[in-house]
Amino acid sequence: MKTLKTLIISSLLLIVISSLAIAQGNQRKEIKMPDIPGYKTLKCDFHMHTVFSDGNVWPTVRVYEAWLDGLDAIAITDHIEYQPHSKDIPSNFNRAHELASPVGDNLDIIVIKGSEVTRKMPPGHLNAIFINDANALKTEDWRDALKAAKEQGAFIFWNHPNWRGHQKDGIARWYDEHSYLLKNGLINGIEVLNGYEYSPEAQRWCLEHNLTFMGNTDVHDPIRMEYNYMENQRRAMTLVFAKEKSEGAVKEALFAGRTVVLFNDTLIGKEEFLLPLFEASVKYNRDKIVLKKKDSFNLQVTNWSDVPFILVSQNGKEEISVTQNVTLLPGSTGIIKISTSEKAPSGGVKLKFKVINMWTSPGEHPVVTLPVKVVVE
Ligand SMILES: [Zn+2]
Ligand SMILES: [Zn+2]
């Protein structure tokens, strides 16, 4: 009798456990990127398509994907001038946002209304986001479309300037039309990253003209058909440093240029945002190390973020010897070995490292000074 009771209890327990397993199917994968002083770090994708242009998913699916992928904000940006599903789905430039927005409210994902003004090069394709009425962007002349967007308070950025559909050699070119956009306040940012395509020219132009760095997926198919999640591949995204998590704060941050682009394990942006991001990600097991001559110490450095940091020492070997190459893997602790020789001069030493998976301009990396005092007695 007792055996039967045990059997019933254990069967019930098994049912509870297996239903728990089923309930855990829909898990959001959080992206660990720390906030920086004064700002929240929001993970965003401002360029994607649905069946309301040439995409292959219903608008609500984009919100579910964003939730599962740990994003905070998305913009749905269907083409105005390219509507290949119009035989099945009537052209309605405002409808994708209308459908996606309530799902965003439920899941705490900011869903921004946008459109892709899709013209031949020049000026090419431009996204206008934070618009109220996408219908106003359907005009003969692209200048009028962008002016209409600007009148609605839109943030406008140039998409994939190096796209091979426009530039056969994959090199982005700046035309008079882009100078016109700049002069008339009709361009606020450029995609330095579109999907898998990085544009060094776009990065230079962002620096030269003080435009916002953008990095987006431009996803058309279900996201899992474009990124290999089995290999932990990361979708392209823009990290936005916003005063709070709200649509208004994202808009303010984009106009102020407070972004960094995340491309797999590479962070692209201005030093003023890359350095605080590194500093907020990394912690040390000592803030002061006192060494004698012919001495050594293993400084433990923990990277709490989801992005690795690849460091190359900038300290000359004469003063003291420091591990030359250190990779700080995500969620791991690495060691920097600091050794002194017989000839080491007395006094303080600053530990400096170049972070080579951070790009401030093509081929350039920022140098971090670790907040650890090293004193040689
Ligand atoms: Zn495009
Ligand atoms: Zn697009």
Side-chain angles (χ1 to χ4, degrees):
M1 198 59 200
K2 202 177 176 202
T3 327
L4 185 65
K5 212 172 170 183
T6 317
L7 197 71
I8 292 167
I9 291 169
S10 56
S11 312
L12 283 173
L13 203 66
L14 202 70
I15 292 165
V16 171
I17 290 169
S18 54
S19 62
L20 266 178
I22 291 164
Q24 285 177 355
N26 48 354
Q27 297 274 304
R28 171 175 161 98
K29 172 115 173 59
E30 296 294 346
I31 303 164
K32 289 187 219 81
M33 286 307 296
D35 293 338
I36 64 170
Y39 302 109
K40 280 187 95 64
T41 302
L42 303 180
K43 301 108 200 170
C44 311
D45 183 358
F46 299 108
H47 188 170
M48 59 186 67
H49 297 274
T50 76
V51 289
F52 284 85
S53 65
D54 59 344
N56 289 318
V57 307
W58 193 249
T60 52
V61 174
R62 291 293 178 226
V63 188
Y64 294 126
E65 289 175 340
W67 185 82
L68 291 166
D69 290 347
L71 297 186
D72 297 298
I74 59 169
I76 295 179
T77 53
D78 280 310
H79 300 283
I80 296 280
E81 297 83 353
Y82 186 49
Q83 297 273 312
H85 299 314
S86 59
K87 274 189 188 152
D88 297 309
I89 294 155
S91 286
N92 182 341
F93 305 118
N94 290 314
R95 189 65 183 142
H97 181 263
E98 269 171 29
L99 291 163
S101 187
V103 180
D105 291 343
N106 266 321
L107 291 175
D108 205 13
I109 301 284
I110 299 166
V111 182
I112 299 157
K113 191 172 195 171
S115 278
E116 182 165 6
V117 175
T118 311
R119 307 292 173 125
K120 60 182 196 313
M121 189 68 87
H125 298 186
L126 290 113
N127 273 358
I129 59 173
F130 307 104
I131 54 172
N132 310 315
D133 179 17
N135 290 319
L137 276 58
K138 191 170 168 53
T139 62
E140 190 78 28
D141 192 321
W142 54 265
R143 292 168 191 83
D144 297 331
L146 297 174
K147 279 178 196 163
K150 193 190 174 187
E151 275 165 25
Q152 295 180 21
F155 177 89
I156 302 169
F157 58 96
W158 182 10
N159 298 337
H160 48 70
N162 55 338
W163 180 44
R164 284 175 194 271
H166 282 157
Q167 303 289 1
K168 282 198 170 55
D169 56 5
I171 297 170
R173 287 174 183 78
W174 185 276
Y175 296 88
D176 290 346
E177 284 77 356
H178 300 109
S179 298
Y180 168 88
L181 293 176
L182 201 60
K183 213 175 104 197
N184 291 281
L186 296 171
I187 183 170
N188 309 107
I190 311 179
E191 277 186 344
V192 171
L193 174 69
N194 175 279
Y196 292 91
E197 295 289 326
Y198 157 70
S199 169
E201 299 83 23
Q203 191 178 8
R204 284 195 203 98
W205 294 329
C206 281
L207 292 169
E208 193 182 326
H209 304 300
N210 200 24
L211 297 170
T212 303
F213 287 70
M214 306 297 284
N216 302 308
T217 58
D218 196 1
V219 63
H220 285 71
D221 284 320
I223 191 82
R224 276 161 178 72
M225 294 302 285
E226 297 195 12
Y227 289 87
N228 189 346
Y229 283 65
M230 305 285 274
E231 298 285 331
N232 280 329
Q233 210 173 36
R234 209 193 309 272
R235 61 190 279 173
M237 71 185 76
T238 308
L239 302 177
V240 175
F241 306 107
K243 287 177 185 160
E244 56 172 35
K245 184 177 171 180
S246 72
E247 182 168 335
V250 171
K251 187 174 177 179
E252 187 275 332
L254 287 181
F255 274 108
R258 293 196 306 271
T259 65
V260 159
V261 169
L262 179 55
F263 175 23
N264 292 329
D265 288 335
T266 301
L267 291 151
I268 305 167
K270 289 183 179 165
E271 195 170 286
E272 63 181 295
F273 305 115
L274 291 174
L275 290 184
L277 206 52
F278 176 88
E279 283 155 13
S281 300
V282 173
K283 302 286 172 251
Y284 310 85
N285 73 329
R286 289 286 188 285
D287 51 18
K288 190 175 178 186
I289 301 162
V290 180
L291 291 170
K292 296 186 171 30
K293 292 183 197 292
K294 281 182 81 177
D295 198 357
S296 72
F297 184 78
N298 288 321
L299 175 65
Q300 295 186 38
V301 188
T302 304
N303 173 11
W304 292 103
S305 82
D306 270 352
V307 179
F309 294 107
I310 304 166
L311 310 183
V312 177
S313 172
Q314 303 298 296
N315 286 81
K317 283 188 180 168
E318 310 82 46
E319 329 169 277
I320 50 165
S321 145
V322 177
T323 312
Q324 288 301 295
N325 299 291
V326 185
T327 299
L328 302 174
L329 294 172
S332 304
T333 300
I335 282 180
I336 296 174
K337 187 169 182 173
I338 306 154
S339 316
T340 54
S341 68
E342 186 69 56
K343 291 174 192 160
S346 303
V349 181
K350 284 199 168 110
L351 300 177
K352 286 178 189 283
F353 288 88
K354 201 171 255 191
V355 190
I356 61 166
N357 61 314
M358 286 182 154
W359 301 353
T360 46
S361 62
E364 296 283 328
H365 315 288
V367 174
V368 294
T369 304
L370 308 194
V372 178
K373 272 188 194 160
V374 181
V375 180
V376 184
E377 288 184 340

